[in-house]
Each structure stands twice: as structure tokens, then as C-alpha cells.
């Protein structure tokens, strides 16, 4: 009887599944960022891989220690084929669950249908997450993916992977997630946009040697999936005041070579109202925004400060609108406001032409600035 029980136990153990599918986490290549290019009818993919043993924040980690970056490159007529060519030489299993950013070359951005095809492939794969940051660039992808953060921190601490760190101090162009970009370019009247990454080779030095770092220098704009143009950060100065997620953005008042003060603007609340004049849509923009004094150069009353800050913001909004009109770009998303408030009139306006805005479309801009405080000092320091 006892022998029978022993035999049954042994037989049960033999039927238990083994560990053939188990994977050692230390023996996998973790992709942290992707670069996609398109040349001569082929996708060219670049994968950035970090050694997480050097990235992990543990007590033994040496701050500022150089962290090695590995880059893999593959080609194929489809995105899948380009990734599979990387598998051929990766030596170990490649894991995609830690991808945080996707950088798309300007060559690929010019092929709207190819962007959708590439993003469709990424989202279909179970390991890739939906909240991937998207960027465009005209820099070589290898150079972009080789950039690190200040003090030799890993790319995970750079603008590319963690833009919120700098955005909280200097809000300008809002980071764009992939799922939002796809939603925007599929919505009528909504100009999808992608922040553009460049490499700044002049602003920083390390031991008297130039240190290159990433920078967002503008944005690419799209209509119905096709790229229409690019605007610089300077062109988009007025765009920021219509962004609800703006946290902190400074201006000089007045905005010339002899400013009287520097003011930090916070938490804008913008509204776009559509009115019709002679059957044509016109737009009124109202902005309410808070502020505080960051630097006082000459004496100025609080009332004058608020009035001049409002004047600067009006000028910047009008300037960005004009820059967009020159390239037939709806920077301020006025067409979307018309679609959401009056879809019937929107369809009628778009019957004969795709872009309905002109220099007269922006009718009135009203800005109200509220000064919260003057910092640690009251008025000007003598």
C-alpha cells in the first residue's frame, strides 16, 4: 500500500510542467527608447538598451558614473522585419516592456501612412505600453539615442524620457504621448503635433569640453495624418498660453531690450469662442492667468505690471497665430473649437477648402493677469 502511494507521488511529479519558459531577468536586453527612420522603401529601426544594473538607484551607485548605452540597428520592408533583424544579432532575449520614448525621423514623418503603420505594429505587441512619448527630429537618430543627461545620468533622466522634470520649471511645448497623437490626427479639425528634439552642443561644458544635451526646439504639425510643417519654439511662444497643463513659464515686461521686470506665469485658463461675421467664422480668445514677480528691475505698480503682462501675452498669441497662417497651420486649434461648438457650420466651411483660416480669423484676444505675490520682497530691492 505504501509502495503504491510512493509510486503515485513519483508519477504526479513527473507530470508536473517544467521551467522551460522561465527567463532570467538579468539575461535580457531591456529596450528603453526606439528610433524609426524610413529610407529607400525600408524601415530602419534603432533600439536603445541600458544595463539596468548601472541605472538602478541603490546606495552603492556612484553618482555621475558613466553609464554605457548600447544601440541596435535593423532594416526591413516592414517594422516587424526591421525588429527581427535585430533579434538575429542580439545574443539574448529583447524585452520591450520598458520602452518610454519613440523618436521618429523627419524622413518618416513625411510619410503619414507609414507612421500609422509603424505605430499600429508597436501597439499590437503585448509588451509595449500605450503611454510612450513621441518626438520628431531631423538629427541623426544614433546621436539622439546616445545622449545622456547632466552629470552623466542615464537617458532615463533626460528630456526625452522624463520631460516633466524640466517642464515643471519651464513649461513651453507640452510632451506628447503616442495614443494622444494618434487620436488627434484622426479627429476632424484637430492639428496633431509632435515636439521636435534637437541636440544642443553649446550650452553646457564638462571639464572645459563641450557637453551635448537634448533640447525641445519646436514642433511638427499634421493634418489628417500628413505632416504640413514645422515651427520653432520662438514661433510657438503664444501657443503655450492655451495649454491647460502649463505649470510655469516666464516672460519679460515689456518684451524688449529694456524690460522692467521678469514675471512667472502660472495655470492659464483659456477659452475660444466662435462668432460668425458675414457667414465666416471668427474667433475670440480669452485667457485668465496667475503670476508672480521673479525679478524687479525698475519700480512698477502691481496694476501696471498686470496690464503689461497681459499685453505681452496678447502679442505672443497673435504672433504664433500669424506664424501658423504663413504655413497654413492652425497653431491655436481654432478649427477644432469650431468643430466642437458648431459641427454643422464646420462642415459647410470645409466644403470647398481644406484650410479655412486667414489673418482675419482671429478676432479678439482678452487676457486677464492676476498677480499672486511679489516674492520674498515687497516691491523693488534698493
Amino acid at each position: 500500500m505504501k509502495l503504491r502511494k510512493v509510486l503515485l507521488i513519483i508519477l504526479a511529479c513527473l507530470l508536473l510542467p517544467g521551467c522551460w519558459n522561465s527567463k532570467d531577468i538579468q539575461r535580457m536586453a531591456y529596450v528603453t527608447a526606439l528610433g524609426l527612420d524610413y529610407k529607400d522603401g525600408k524601415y530602419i529601426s534603432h533600439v536603445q538598451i541600458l544595463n539596468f544594473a548601472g541605472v538602478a538607484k541603490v546606495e552603492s551607485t556612484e553618482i555621475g558614473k558613466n553609464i554605457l548605452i548600447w544601440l541596435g540597428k535593423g532594416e526591413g520592408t516592414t517594422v516587424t522585419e526591421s525588429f527581427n533583424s535585430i533579434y538575429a544579432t542580439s545574443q539574448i532575449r529583447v524585452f520591450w516592456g520598458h520602452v518610454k520614448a519613440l523618436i521618429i525621423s523627419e524622413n518618416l514623418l513625411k510619410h503619414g501612412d507609414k507612421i500609422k503603420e509603424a505605430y499600429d505594429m508597436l501597439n499590437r505587441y503585448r509588451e509595449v505600453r500605450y503611454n510612450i512619448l513621441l518626438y520628431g527630429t531631423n538629427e541623426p537618430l544614433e546621436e539622439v539615442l546616445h545622449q545622456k543627461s547632466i552629470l552623466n545620468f542615464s537617458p532615463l533622466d533626460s528630456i526625452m524620457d522624463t520631460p516633466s522634470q524640466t517642464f515643471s520649471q519651464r513649461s513651453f511645448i507640452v510632451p506628447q504621448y503616442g495614443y494622444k497623437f494618434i487620436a488627434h490626427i484622426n479627429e476632424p479639425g484637430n492639428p496633431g503635433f509632435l515636439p521636435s528634439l534637437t541636440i544642443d552642443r553649446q550650452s553646457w561644458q564638462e571639464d572645459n569640453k563641450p557637453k551635448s544635451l537634448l533640447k525641445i526646439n519646436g514642433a511638427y504639425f499634421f493634418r489628417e495624418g500628413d505632416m504640413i510643417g514645422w515651427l520653432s519654439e520662438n514661433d510657438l511662444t503664444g501657443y503655450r498660453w492655451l495649454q491647460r497643463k502649463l505649470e510655469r513659464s516666464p516672460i519679460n515686461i515689456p518684451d524688449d531690450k529694456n524690460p522692467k521686470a521678469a514675471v512667472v506665469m502660472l495655470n492659464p485658463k483659456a477659452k475660444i469662442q466662435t462668432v460668425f461675421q458675414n457667414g465666416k467664422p471668427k474667433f475670440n480668445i480669452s485667457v485668465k492667468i496667475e503670476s508672480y514677480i521673479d525679478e524687479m528691475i525698475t519700480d512698477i505698480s502691481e496694476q501696471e505690471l498686470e496690464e503689461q503682462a497681459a499685453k505681452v501675452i496678447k502679442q505672443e498669441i497673435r504672433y504664433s497665430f500669424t506664424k501658423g497662417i504663413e504655413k497654413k497651420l492652425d497653431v491655436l486649434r481654432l478649427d477644432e473649437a469650431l468643430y466642437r461648438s458648431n459641427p454643422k457650420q464646420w462642415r459647410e466651411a470645409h466644403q470647398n477648402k481644406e484650410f479655412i483660416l486667414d489673418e482675419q480669423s482671429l478676432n479678439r484676444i482678452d487676457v486677464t493677469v492676476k498677480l499672486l505675490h511679489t516674492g520674498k520682497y515687497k516691491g523693488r530691492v534698493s
Side-chain angles (χ1 to χ4, degrees):
M1 191 68 178
K2 290 183 179 180
L3 180 60
R4 185 180 296 177
K5 289 183 178 180
V6 172
L7 291 173
L8 288 173
I9 293 172
I10 294 173
L11 181 61
C13 290
L14 291 173
L15 294 174
L16 289 174
C19 299
W20 296 104
N21 292 325
S22 66
K23 303 173 184 68
D24 295 332
I25 59 174
Q26 72 273 17
R27 294 185 180 276
M28 288 196 289
Y30 294 93
V31 179
T32 52
L34 288 171
L36 285 180
D37 199 357
Y38 189 76
K39 291 181 181 178
D40 302 324
K42 287 189 175 183
Y43 289 97
I44 303 172
S45 59
H46 303 263
V47 296
Q48 178 195 79
I49 293 174
L50 302 181
N51 182 356
F52 277 12
V55 177
K57 297 180 179 179
V58 297
E59 293 181 2
S60 61
T61 301
E62 182 182 343
I63 301 298
K65 180 181 178 181
N66 189 33
I67 296 173
L68 298 179
I69 298 175
W70 284 73
L71 290 186
K73 181 180 178 180
E75 293 186 14
T77 53
T78 63
V79 181
T80 300
E81 187 178 356
S82 71
F83 286 169
N84 274 281
S85 68
I86 293 175
Y87 294 153
T89 56
S90 65
Q91 313 302 314
I92 57 178
R93 187 181 188 275
V94 177
F95 183 73
W96 304 89
H98 289 289
V99 176
K100 298 190 70 176
L102 171 61
I103 302 91
I104 305 173
S105 73
E106 203 167 277
N107 290 331
L108 180 53
L109 290 177
K110 294 175 181 177
H111 298 81
D113 57 329
K114 300 300 181 183
I115 298 176
K116 290 184 178 181
E117 181 182 326
Y119 196 75
D120 177 81
M121 179 271 164
L122 289 174
N123 269 343
R124 283 180 185 275
Y125 192 54
R126 63 186 182 279
E127 289 182 359
V128 180
R129 303 178 184 181
Y130 289 105
N131 57 340
I132 297 177
L133 290 162
L134 254 60
Y135 301 94
T137 187
N138 62 356
E139 298 274 5
L141 288 173
E142 295 95 332
E143 292 188 34
V144 172
L145 293 173
H146 265 303
Q147 298 304 309
K148 301 174 185 177
S149 186
I150 192 173
L151 301 177
N152 280 325
F153 285 174
S154 79
L156 299 180
D157 293 307
S158 70
I159 288 177
M160 181 176 70
D161 288 320
T162 317
S164 58
Q165 296 190 79
T166 52
F167 192 78
S168 62
Q169 289 187 309
R170 184 183 180 272
S171 303
F172 216 101
I173 297 176
V174 179
Q176 183 75 289
Y177 286 101
Y179 68 91
K180 288 188 177 180
F181 172 71
I182 295 299
H184 287 168
I185 64 175
N186 287 328
E187 286 180 352
N190 194 329
F193 81 96
L194 281 186
S196 62
L197 274 180
T198 190
I199 301 174
D200 187 316
R201 300 173 174 86
Q202 299 178 346
S203 297
W204 289 84
Q205 291 185 353
E206 181 185 23
D207 286 338
N208 248 357
K209 297 178 182 179
K211 179 68 175 179
S212 60
L213 293 168
L214 292 173
K215 177 184 178 182
I216 296 176
N217 66 334
Y220 295 96
F221 285 82
F222 296 77
R223 186 187 301 123
E224 295 182 359
D226 296 322
M227 188 185 79
I228 339 174
W230 176 85
L231 290 177
S232 69
E233 184 182 75
N234 184 63
D235 295 336
L236 297 172
T237 51
Y239 153 85
R240 54 181 164 166
W241 307 122
L242 275 68
Q243 304 306 309
R244 293 182 179 180
K245 292 185 178 181
L246 181 138
E247 297 180 38
R248 183 184 188 275
S249 202
I251 61 171
N252 292 335
I253 54 169
D255 189 17
D256 55 28
K257 295 181 179 179
N258 299 299
K260 296 180 180 179
V263 184
V264 173
M265 315 306 295
L266 310 163
N267 308 320
K269 294 178 176 59
K271 292 183 180 180
I272 301 175
Q273 181 187 16
T274 306
V275 295
F276 287 88
Q277 296 179 3
N278 298 323
K280 291 185 177 181
K282 306 285 184 179
F283 302 91
N284 298 328
I285 295 177
S286 61
V287 179
K288 293 182 179 180
I289 191 167
E290 299 172 340
S291 66
Y292 66 85
I293 297 176
D294 204 39
E295 182 180 358
M296 183 76 81
I297 300 170
T298 59
D299 286 323
I300 180 173
S301 68
E302 292 186 7
Q303 181 180 352
E304 185 182 356
L305 186 146
E306 291 175 342
E307 290 174 354
Q308 291 205 25
K311 182 179 179 181
V312 170
I313 292 174
K314 286 181 185 179
Q315 291 172 344
E316 290 187 351
I317 292 175
R318 181 75 64 176
Y319 176 77
S320 290
F321 171 76
T322 304
K323 281 293 181 180
I325 291 297
E326 291 174 0
K327 295 186 177 182
K328 293 189 175 182
L329 301 177
D330 182 15
V331 175
L332 306 180
R333 298 171 69 173
L334 303 180
D335 196 31
E336 181 194 6
L338 172 62
Y339 175 77
R340 295 191 180 281
S341 61
N342 297 287
K344 182 179 179 181
Q345 286 86 347
W346 181 89
R347 293 187 187 94
E348 291 175 356
H350 280 270
Q351 280 182 351
N352 299 321
K353 54 182 178 178
E354 189 176 36
F355 189 74
I356 64 171
L357 302 179
D358 56 35
E359 293 182 357
Q360 308 304 318
S361 296
L362 184 53
N363 186 41
R364 192 178 73 246
I365 304 172
D366 298 316
V367 179
T368 303
V369 176
K370 180 181 180 182
L371 183 65
L372 298 178
H373 60 80
T374 58
K376 292 190 293 183
Y377 299 110
K378 292 184 178 180
R380 185 175 184 273
V381 182
S382 59

